[in-house]
Amino acid sequence: MATKRFPGFIDVHVHLREPGATQKEDFYTGSRAAIAGGVTFVIDMPNNPTPTVSIERLDEKVALAKKAICDIGFHYGTNGKNADTFAEAASRPEVFGLKLYCNHTTGEMLIEDPKLLETVFAAWPPGKPILVHAEGPQLDMAIALADKHGQRLHVCHITQASEVEAVRKAKAAGRSVTAGVCPHHLFMTEKDREEKKGYATMKPPLGTLEDQAALWAGLVDGTVDIVETDHAPHTKEEKEKDPPAFGVPGLETSLGLMLKAVADGSITEERVVEAMHTLPRKIFNIPEQPDTYVELDPDAPYTAGKDGYESKCGWSPFTGWELYGKPMKVVLRGKTLLEDGKIIA
Ligand code: NCD
Ligand code: ZN
Ligand code: ZN
């Protein structure tokens, strides 16, 4: 066993809940969770209670995020009626993509009207990707619209075997499509939901064993490009309600789970680094973070949640699991933020 140095990991899909839902998370606690998990750059989603669909809301978020201890970018949001702000939003260096919700989930940003969807794909200045929450048939529609309007499409939290197939086909046809998979879909199935109930409830929901196998095959062969956590914290109270809030936290367990898969021989360490650093950086054109690294022993097991969590929600569906490679040191642009496994920032 030996400590190794890795680049700072990147998570392009997190919900840090500020402003509007800081009972679940805020930029400070969410960014501490990122650093604890070896993640030095996150991109925050726009589905706040007051969604990030105007330049005013974007500016407000950028200002609030100054308290984050990791680097942070933002995806702009759309309700289909803010196309007049797209050019300005897309020109901002803090903005890395446009997020579009084609299915019901947390937040009030669902666009179902195909005409409105088409407006969005036509209006976004091509360059920075359009990210979609699109399940099943909605995904086929998004792939077709992106192709028609010359947009780069990123498929968030891919879940079903048929969706992996749809992305494989689109890539083979030369379309500009990338996809991300979440650790919870890689490591759990619908069976876990019976047991963990609200704590394993999220959108898209956990799939079958067949879906899970297709996600692993797709990630290993590169059809699925990256790992993204969809870090979506909710309070225990919100998860124990009927129906529970959708979403699970992921920042503090994603790397440990992926390195567990390396230890099990399910994936190579090189592919994990590519899926959690190199490709996210390339797909979203994320600037280099000089003098930034994470030190850990990839062969060293540890128990998830043994020392609690940095995320304000204070739980994880993976508590008690044996993970691998807990970050021991994290340096971001020359500044040590985590030492001996503890945040010192
Ligand atoms: C996310 C959230 O809570 O913001 N929930 C989820 O179940 N994944 C929204 C989303 O990514 O769909
Ligand atoms: Zn989603
Ligand atoms: Zn999400």
Side-chain angles (χ1 to χ4, degrees), residues 99-143:
K99 179 66 184 287
L100 189 57
Y101 291 89
C102 304
N103 300 94
H104 169 64
T105 184
T106 309
E108 306 287 332
M109 296 179 64
L110 175 63
I111 307 182
E112 278 180 307
D113 179 0
K115 276 218 177 63
L116 221 48
L117 276 175
E118 177 112 35
T119 319
V120 168
F121 277 89
W124 181 248
K128 295 178 181 177
I130 295 181
L131 301 91
V132 283
H133 177 134
E135 304 176 33
Q138 266 69 26
L139 176 57
D140 297 321
M141 186 173 55
I143 291 173

Side-chain angles (χ1 to χ4, degrees), residues 264-329:
D264 293 349
S266 309
I267 193 166
T268 64
E269 189 179 290
E270 291 68 34
R271 180 68 187 108
V272 168
V273 172
E274 187 182 61
M276 298 181 76
H277 170 78
T278 322
L279 288 179
R281 169 149 286 151
K282 189 169 155 208
I283 294 165
F284 292 95
N285 200 20
I286 294 167
E288 282 295 326
Q289 296 174 290
D291 201 5
T292 296
Y293 58 85
V294 175
E295 285 179 358
L296 57 85
D297 178 351
D299 301 316
Y302 69 99
T303 305
K306 202 165 86 21
D307 306 318
Y309 294 103
E310 294 293 341
S311 170
K312 203 185 273 187
C313 74
W315 61 273
S316 156
F318 300 109
T319 296
W321 283 44
E322 181 180 75
L323 309 186
Y324 279 72
K326 188 180 167 68
M328 285 295 131
K329 182 169 180 164

